[in-house]
């Protein structure tokens, strides 16, 4: 009886192990596509031709290839962009989902002067269709499973909206009224008479560019916030903190400026490299208590990593035309917005750490736990970039 029971237990264990192995292989098979090309950021222009009854959603997607060429050949960047558009972007008129036609192409985002190995390519997805008769509002819905936010600008009858929209996963865009305007409408004519000239509107656009830069710092990743906090862990001496913050800001501003002219490549390995710098800057505070100037150099490269991440976001591509048509005013407004976010983050961190630094238990109770969390987060982001 004992032998029979042991045999049944072994058979049951073998069956469970076989099922687990099969499940692992299935997960590995379906994760192969995720390891291939991956959409990292999306900026979208919605063109609504109310008089003609048509719409065109022009989405520019940054697609990061995998290190494995075999996986890249299995799922090309066009297919990754198509899956993103079909799975996450929902075009709606009056809360009714539409099924637009997709046209996908690859374009070069750099100018002709840029060397071939430094040129950036984007996947352009055009979603076209007809506006339903009698429709009143246009909406874009972003599925909750979408891994990122989408930046959208609406152009209605060749008239761009004054503000861009940042659509978060699981949210709707602001509704756009698509009802035709009747000629001779006194209300419309009064509004048109008070509208400022086009030149004045373009100069006021710097305000929205500033907000785009301010928002990009907080939305692109948790790494900018984590790196800023890591500068306060080793020492709260004002001179040491100031030098590190200045190096971090200088690196971020430099990377954004170079990326605008296409002089710095937006490589996928910049994210894990920046995460490793977080591990180094935070981990040092667990073993040393004295400031060293080499941390300024590390902070400079960390700032460049932050700048590259922000430059690869939809905020940057919509707000700052890149390549050979760089608008200096837009670039300055965006960079200043990102720098203000960095300063705000640094001031909040300074108030917290300077207040806590007066106590004897500060390093044991505050610095050590935060450093461990930041090191773990940096390791996680480094590993996540390869998954």
């Amino acid at each position: 009886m004992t032998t029979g029971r042991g045999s049944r237990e072994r058979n049951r264990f073998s069956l469970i192990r076989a099922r687990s192995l099969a499940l692992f292989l299935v997960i590995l098979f379906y994760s192969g596509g995720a390891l291939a090309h991956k959409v990292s950021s999306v900026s979208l222009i919605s063109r609504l031709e109310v008089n003609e009854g048509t719409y065109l959603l022009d989405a520019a997607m940054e697609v990061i290839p995998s290190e494995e060429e075999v996986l890249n050949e299995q799922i090309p960047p066009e297919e990754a962009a198509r899956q993103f558009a079909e799975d996450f972007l929902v075009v709606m008129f009056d809360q009714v989902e539409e099924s637009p036609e997709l046209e996908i192409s690859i374009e070069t985002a750099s100018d002709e002067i840029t060397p071939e190995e430094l040129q950036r390519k984007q996947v352009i997805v055009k979603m076209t269709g007809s506006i339903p008769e009698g429709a009143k509002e246009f909406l874009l819905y972003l599925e909750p499973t979408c891994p990122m936010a989408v930046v959208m600008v609406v152009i209605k009858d060749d008239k761009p909206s004054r503000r861009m929209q940042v659509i978060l996963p699981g949210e709707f865009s602001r509704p756009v009224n698509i009802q035709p305007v009747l000629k001779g409408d006194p209300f419309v004519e009064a509004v048109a008479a008070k509208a400022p000239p086009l030149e004045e509107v373009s100069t006021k656009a710097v305000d929205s560019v500033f907000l785009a830069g301010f928002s990009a710092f907080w939305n692109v990743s948790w790494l900018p916030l984590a790196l800023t906090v890591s500068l306060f862990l080793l020492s709260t001496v004002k001179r040491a903190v100031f030098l590190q913050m200045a190096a971090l800001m200088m690196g971020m501003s430099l990377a954004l400026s170079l990326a605008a002219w296409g002089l710095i490549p937006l490589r996928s390995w910049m994210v894990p490299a920046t995460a490793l710098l977080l591990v180094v800057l935070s981990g040092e505070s667990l073993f040393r208590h004295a400031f060293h100037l080499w941390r300024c150099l590390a902070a400079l490269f960390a700032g460049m990593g932050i700048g590259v991440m922000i430059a690869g976001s939809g905020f940057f591509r919509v707000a700052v035309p890149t390549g050979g048509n760089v608008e200096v005013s837009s670039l300055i407004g965006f960079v200043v917005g990102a720098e203000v976010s960095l300063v705000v983050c640094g001031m909040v961190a300074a108030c917290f750490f300077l207040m806590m630094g007066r106590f004897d238990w500060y390093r044991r109770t505050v610095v050590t736990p935060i450093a461990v969390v930041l090191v773990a987060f940096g390791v996680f982001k480094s590993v996540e970039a390869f998954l």
Side-chain angles (χ1 to χ4, degrees):
M1 295 296 292
T2 305
T3 304
R5 179 181 300 176
S7 178
R8 287 194 298 269
E9 292 293 334
R10 285 194 298 270
N11 293 336
R12 183 181 178 185
F13 177 76
S14 300
L15 180 60
I16 294 175
R17 184 171 58 181
R19 290 179 177 176
S20 301
L21 179 60
L23 179 61
F24 172 76
L25 293 176
V26 169
I27 295 174
L28 183 62
F29 176 81
Y30 282 103
S31 64
L35 291 174
H37 288 91
K38 178 182 179 182
V39 177
S40 61
S41 59
V42 179
S43 56
L44 191 147
I45 300 177
S46 297
R47 304 179 186 272
L48 305 174
E49 299 294 339
V50 177
N51 296 328
E52 299 179 2
T54 60
Y55 66 88
L56 165 63
L57 274 65
D58 196 348
M61 301 186 184
E62 192 81 21
V63 180
I64 300 176
S66 170
E67 300 294 337
E68 299 292 337
E69 294 296 334
V70 177
L71 295 176
N72 293 332
E73 293 177 358
Q74 291 177 354
I75 297 185
E78 299 94 328
E79 184 61 27
R82 180 186 297 276
Q83 291 179 358
F84 186 94
E86 293 178 346
D87 294 343
F88 302 128
L89 303 180
V90 181
V91 180
M92 307 183 75
F93 289 93
D94 294 341
Q95 300 289 338
V96 178
E97 183 177 348
E98 297 292 323
S99 299
E101 297 181 0
L102 301 184
E103 180 182 346
I104 301 177
S105 61
I106 297 181
E107 296 183 1
T108 301
S110 305
D111 54 21
E112 299 178 353
I113 305 177
T114 305
E116 183 177 356
E117 61 274 9
L118 299 181
Q119 289 187 355
R120 296 166 48 200
K121 293 184 178 181
Q122 291 180 337
V123 180
I124 307 299
V125 180
K126 296 183 181 294
M127 309 170 64
T128 59
S130 300
I131 299 177
E133 186 176 356
K136 298 179 180 180
E137 288 183 344
F138 162 78
L139 291 170
L140 181 68
Y141 178 69
L142 199 60
E143 292 287 352
T145 54
C146 184
M148 71 197 71
V150 172
V151 181
M152 182 179 72
V153 173
V154 177
I155 300 178
K156 176 185 173 183
D157 290 333
D158 297 328
K159 297 179 181 179
S161 59
R162 295 189 179 183
R163 292 189 301 170
M164 68 181 66
Q165 302 186 40
V166 180
I167 309 172
L168 301 177
E171 293 187 355
F172 290 92
S173 65
R174 292 192 297 269
V176 180
N177 185 6
I178 57 174
Q179 289 183 304
V181 179
L182 299 177
K183 294 184 178 180
D185 191 334
F187 176 77
V188 176
E189 292 178 356
V191 173
K194 296 180 180 180
L198 182 60
E199 292 78 6
E200 185 178 350
V201 174
S202 62
T203 56
K204 291 182 179 180
V206 177
D207 296 336
S208 62
V209 173
F210 171 84
L211 293 176
F214 187 89
S215 302
F217 180 89
W218 303 100
N219 287 276
V220 68
S221 172
W222 286 98
L223 278 175
L225 174 62
L227 282 165
T228 305
V229 172
S230 69
L231 303 183
F232 292 84
L233 296 179
L234 188 66
S235 174
T236 55
V237 177
K238 295 181 180 179
R239 177 177 177 273
V241 173
F242 175 79
L243 290 176
Q244 294 178 89
M245 286 291 295
L248 190 70
M249 181 179 296
M250 186 182 303
M252 181 183 68
S253 304
L254 178 63
L256 287 172
S257 302
L258 294 177
W261 273 279
L263 299 178
I264 183 172
L266 304 182
R267 302 297 186 186
S268 59
W269 53 262
M270 287 298 296
V271 175
T274 307
L276 289 177
L277 285 173
L278 172 64
V279 174
V280 173
L281 290 172
S282 302
E284 186 185 16
S285 61
L286 296 173
F287 306 101
R288 294 184 181 181
H289 299 170
F291 170 75
H292 298 277
L293 287 177
W294 78 266
R295 286 179 62 89
C296 294
L297 182 61
L300 177 67
F301 283 107
M304 295 188 68
I306 294 174
V308 169
M309 285 190 292
I310 295 177
S313 66
F315 293 92
F316 187 78
R317 286 198 302 274
V318 171
V320 183
T322 58
N325 301 319
V326 178
E327 295 182 4
V328 178
S329 60
S330 298
L331 176 60
I332 293 176
F334 189 93
V335 171
V336 171
E339 290 177 344
V340 170
S341 290
L342 178 60
V343 171
V344 170
C345 180
M347 292 179 64
V348 173
C351 293
F352 173 78
F353 286 102
L354 291 177
M355 179 179 64
M356 292 295 178
R358 297 176 298 176
F359 300 101
D360 296 335
W361 43 262
Y362 163 72
R363 180 159 295 277
R364 180 183 68 258
T365 309
V366 177
V367 172
T368 300
I370 294 179
V372 171
V373 171
L374 293 182
V375 169
F377 177 69
V379 173
F380 169 75
K381 295 298 292 185
S382 301
V383 176
E384 183 188 37
F386 297 101
L387 297 179

